[in-house]
Amino acid sequence: MGSSMFSHILKAGYTGMVYNRTKEKAGEVIRLGAEWTEKPAILAAQCDIIFTIVGYPEDVRELYFGEEGLINSAGSGSILVDMTTSSPGLAKEIYTYAMTKGIHTLDAPVSGGDTGAINASLSIMTGGNKEVFETILPLFKLMGDKITYQGVEGSGQNTKMCNQIAIAGTMIGVCESLLYGYQSGLDMKTMLKAISGGAAACWTLDNLAPRILKQDYDPGFYVEHFIKDMSIALEEARKMNIVLPGLALVQQLYISLVASGHGKKGTQALMLALKKISDTNG
Amino acid sequence: MGSSMFSHILKAGYTGMVYNRTKEKAGEVIRLGAEWTEKPAILAAQCDIIFTIVGYPEDVRELYFGEEGLINSAGSGSILVDMTTSSPGLAKEIYTYAMTKGIHTLDAPVSGGDTGAINASLSIMTGGNKEVFETILPLFKLMGDKITYQGVEGSGQNTKMCNQIAIAGTMIGVCESLLYGYQSGLDMKTMLKAISGGAAACWTLDNLAPRILKQDYDPGFYVEHFIKDMSIALEEARKMNIVLPGLALVQQLYISLVASGHGKKGTQALMLALKKISDTNG
């Protein structure tokens, strides 16, 4: 996703540098003129604005806080924007520590997946200082088309968590509905047509139910990444003393998918977990 | 709902009779020309087409199978249409027993609630014989605008169950998302704006989340009726040997709402159950 997102910025005429653990993945942006660098620290020392999008909160922590990390390497006045879906608590830590060095940070996770990154149609949910957000806004607009400022540091990540929590619910609702419908012998297309215009209507029903009916479990969004997001939400919820039993249940079912070797499938593969516990091929 | 639905038929120029346990509730249709009767059996003996919409499957069973029930009282060739959300298994029993008397039946539960009944904009999901469905279609069109034929007897009820199962998922997803968002200090309107256009989009988010934010728990659809629907779905699922852990969890939370005296609130009151177990007023 990072490659597609950065390519829009380069095509708009900006110059920049790139680092990635696997150089081949930077091939496209290097062709578009980005300067390759061997270390994040070198990049941080030379760039005014740095975007990061990595895998897990641990990766974000290492990238930002390591001895050769971004905060210790970037110049005063520079802006670091983390677009990874990561921990709201970590986003606050990064903001606070960076401030001590005169460095600004934003947490700006995205939704919309590979397709959104390629088409520059991502949703970008941003937390941090509002003036800093406005400085970066022209660049966000090159990557996405639904860009919101959510408030103080961590708010971008918390908004993304709200998004993922809602999706967990719609996903289990849709998959259980399909399992019931199939097993009870309904004509599935006729059933979906009847329910998709009313109170059961949701993006998942419109976009993923037809793929499930074709037994197409290719990833738009990986099972294992969704598990990471749910872990972050459940950990934050625990710290806030709030109980999310639906999310916890859905995460357990997704963990069972990884146990069955389906971690690299798309999130609609939740259907496979329900089929397995029901021992049906439906 | 029955009163609104029948009133559309009477306004279109049809004549008919009405029975209800509480006569006052039939006031509107009596004013519109429906003839009052003291017993369903009298009505069944005199009408060619009979619509029923009552509370629970037990009520449907009594109404159809009792000694003075509809099937024993209706004439051969008449058509009985049950629009209650009821058990698919019971719909099949009714169909089979009615056939032995030369009586046709349809199961045709609706969605769209009071508003849909008043505005003649209900979804009507129909199971039974297709020719019989086509005979009744002109009358269905007076009550709803999304009318589907789903297949054999019981298919209408099974489709309604698919609808309710999907709603249970979207509801817990949305309520947990709101609880997390509120507790993490987000501006809720800004958060909702960010997530409602993407993969988390659903009817519940658009229509019920704004009401929850206003702490408006007035019923569109009653908690206790939703519990009934979920019981039917879980019982049918058990008979089919399929496992619906999400639905079972959501039903338990709704049962806790009844325990707290919230059975007559709207289904969005699931939020109150989550707040209670989190001991928060958020």
Side-chain angles (χ1 to χ4, degrees), chain A residues 149-150 158 161-163 165 169 173 176-177 180-181 190-191 194-195 200-203 236 242-247 249 278, chain B residues 149-150 158 161-163 165-166 169 176-177 180-181 190-191 194-195 200-203 236 242-247 249 278:
Chain A
Y149 174 71
Q150 295 290 336
N158 276 323
M161 291 302 120
C162 291
N163 189 68
I165 295 166
E176 291 190 355
S177 174
Y180 181 101
T190 311
M191 180 277 278
I195 76 169
C202 62
W203 185 96
E236 290 289 315
I242 58 169
V243 180
L244 305 178
L247 186 69
L249 170 65
S278 296
Chain B
Y149 174 71
Q150 294 291 335
N158 277 324
M161 291 301 120
C162 290
N163 190 67
I165 295 166
E176 291 190 355
S177 175
Y180 180 102
T190 311
M191 180 276 280
I195 75 169
C202 62
W203 185 96
E236 290 288 315
I242 58 168
V243 180
L244 305 178
L247 186 69
L249 170 66
S278 296

Side-chain angles (χ1 to χ4, degrees), chain B residues 199-222:
Chain B
C202 62
W203 185 96
T204 302
L205 202 59
D206 289 344
N207 292 275
L208 297 180
R211 297 181 63 180
I212 293 169
L213 294 190
K214 285 186 268 180
Q215 309 207 22
D216 168 7
Y217 297 113
D218 287 346
F221 184 57
Y222 286 123

